[in-house]
Amino acid sequence: MDYSRPIRAAAVQISPVLYSRDGTTEKVLKAIANAAQSGAQLVVFPETFIPYYPYFSFVQPPVLMGKEHLKLYEEAVTVPGAVTDAVSQAARTYNIVVVLGVNERDRGSLYNTQLIFDADGTLLLKRRKITPTYHERMVWGQGDGAGLKVVDSAVGKLGALACWEHYNPLARFALMAQHEQIHCAQFPGSLVGQIFTDQIEVTIRHHALESGCFVVNATGWLSKEQVAQITTDEKLQKVLSGGCNTAIISPEGNHLCAPITEGEGMAIADLDFSLITKRKRMMDSVGHYSRPELLQLQVNTNEQTVMKPLSQEFHTLVETYPILKE
């Protein structure tokens, strides 16, 4: 691709339609169209946005959250399925790369999943959050290293992580080592208040500086009415507010547009890829600033399954040594 021309990116801060996969999907499709009309070539949505982030798990004890958990199962997204078909069509129609967070249902389990659709509608990546955080462990299963990939897209090399995966430095380094140019970060938003906003700020700016890439970060948002739908306890309602920081950061750690910390909106900025070289000339963490003879990262990128066939090597060994058959 021609890196002499800037890439326009959009990060969407948006509220879901609670308890409705179809309703939230419709909002996603409208936002994709709006981003494209603004000239965006890349649009990033919040963590597990379709159908909605499981806020209930943060304010309900596990023994009481069965009803809400089952409701999430019913509204979750299958991959592939009707939701991915619709988003793929929108990406293709508007010639835009889409990064979307969903609650993925794989038969009897749910996963925090990030999807990357190329501008031609191709699903480039389906990755699952490797370790759900705290309360989330009662909702989602674990992902694996097969999703720690940087993919080539119409807007460059994209990597993605969700929320506190950014506190796993080895997960971040795995993407850095693949030379990501745009890092797509997703957080739930409307959680824990100003402290979460501040933590997101530190996290995304540090990754931009350390990796020498752009960071496009999207967080979700809940209205007061939606918070009241989730819990009627006024004390618990306070922890379902704030914590929003939708922003676009340069490889030099600077905001490229005003961040969005309240309400719905869209952060839009042009990404000048020459800034990547400018930053990495000074400090390339996976190049001239690395010391691989001292420090290396090993990653198991195999997809983990509960059943695997015996290897051909084993069958050969049995034929060579018939005693093993006994």
Side-chain angles (χ1 to χ4, degrees):
M1 62 176 291
D2 182 6
Y3 292 130
S4 66
R5 296 183 179 183
I7 297 295
R8 178 160 292 184
V12 182
Q13 185 158 295
I14 188 171
S15 61
V17 177
L18 289 176
Y19 317 120
S20 174
R21 174 182 58 234
D22 293 343
T24 304
T25 300
E26 188 62 30
K27 291 195 72 170
V28 166
L29 298 178
K30 289 180 180 178
I32 291 173
N34 290 338
Q37 290 170 5
S38 298
Q41 299 154 275
L42 166 68
V43 59
V44 179
F45 289 90
E47 180 180 12
T48 60
F49 184 65
I50 299 179
Y52 48 88
Y53 179 82
Y55 291 100
F56 64 84
S57 64
F58 197 69
V59 296
Q60 289 185 351
V63 71
L64 297 180
M65 74 180 204
K67 182 179 179 181
E68 291 295 332
H69 198 187
L70 288 171
K71 189 181 297 183
L72 185 61
Y73 265 84
E74 293 304 313
E75 296 299 319
V77 175
T78 56
V79 183
V83 170
T84 57
D85 288 347
V87 176
S88 173
Q89 177 62 48
R92 183 164 55 252
T93 298
Y94 296 106
N95 193 35
I96 188 171
V97 177
V98 179
V99 181
L100 176 65
V102 301
N103 289 271
E104 179 200 358
R105 179 173 181 174
D106 187 353
R107 297 173 178 83
S109 295
L110 297 180
Y111 297 93
N112 177 333
T113 297
Q114 294 176 294
L115 305 175
I116 299 181
F117 297 86
D118 209 352
D120 64 358
T122 301
L123 180 59
L124 294 177
L125 181 67
K126 183 192 81 170
R127 71 167 304 270
R128 294 168 174 173
K129 189 173 186 179
I130 54 177
T131 304
T133 303
Y134 189 48
H135 59 287
E136 297 172 351
R137 296 179 193 177
M138 298 298 297
V139 178
W140 299 314
Q142 294 183 321
D144 55 37
L148 289 175
K149 294 179 181 176
V150 169
V151 294
D152 289 311
S153 76
V155 295
K157 295 182 178 295
L158 299 187
L161 292 174
C163 200
W164 277 15
E165 285 188 307
H166 292 88
Y167 288 162
N168 187 325
L170 301 185
R172 292 193 303 105
F173 192 83
L175 300 183
M176 291 163 55
Q178 296 173 67
H179 310 291
E180 63 176 349
Q181 295 168 309
I182 304 174
H183 180 78
C184 303
Q186 298 174 317
F187 287 77
S190 287
L191 204 64
V192 194
Q194 183 63 39
I195 188 173
F196 203 31
T197 300
D198 295 341
Q199 288 176 356
I200 294 171
E201 177 79 2
V202 171
T203 299
I204 60 178
R205 294 182 73 178
H206 177 75
H207 184 69
L209 283 166
E210 192 172 70
S211 64
C213 74
F214 295 94
V215 176
V216 181
N217 181 66
T219 56
W221 180 75
L222 295 174
S223 67
K224 290 183 179 180
E225 293 75 19
Q226 288 177 312
V227 172
Q229 282 183 273
I230 296 168
T231 179
T232 57
D233 187 323
E234 293 184 0
K235 291 182 179 179
L236 292 177
Q237 287 177 353
K238 292 180 180 179
V239 303
L240 298 181
S241 62
C244 297
N245 194 343
T246 294
I248 301 177
I249 310 297
S250 80
E252 297 174 302
N254 300 318
H255 283 275
L256 293 177
C257 59
I260 304 171
T261 57
E262 186 175 352
E264 293 188 300
M266 191 178 298
I268 298 176
D270 292 331
L271 314 184
D272 179 358
F273 276 60
S274 70
L275 294 179
I276 295 176
T277 304
K278 182 180 178 183
R279 171 62 180 169
K280 289 194 172 185
R281 183 184 73 85
M282 301 292 293
M283 196 280 297
D284 184 357
S285 293
V286 296
H288 62 76
Y289 209 71
S290 67
R291 290 293 303 275
E293 78 281 12
L294 300 178
L295 302 167
Q296 289 184 334
L297 173 64
Q298 294 183 345
V299 184
N300 181 355
T301 59
N302 293 322
E303 182 177 355
Q304 302 303 303
T305 63
V306 296
M307 184 175 69
K308 294 181 180 180
L310 289 173
S311 66
Q312 183 59 45
E313 289 79 3
F314 178 81
H315 291 292
T316 302
L317 189 63
V318 169
E319 293 302 320
T320 305
Y321 302 99
I323 192 173
L324 295 176
K325 294 180 181 180
E326 299 177 2

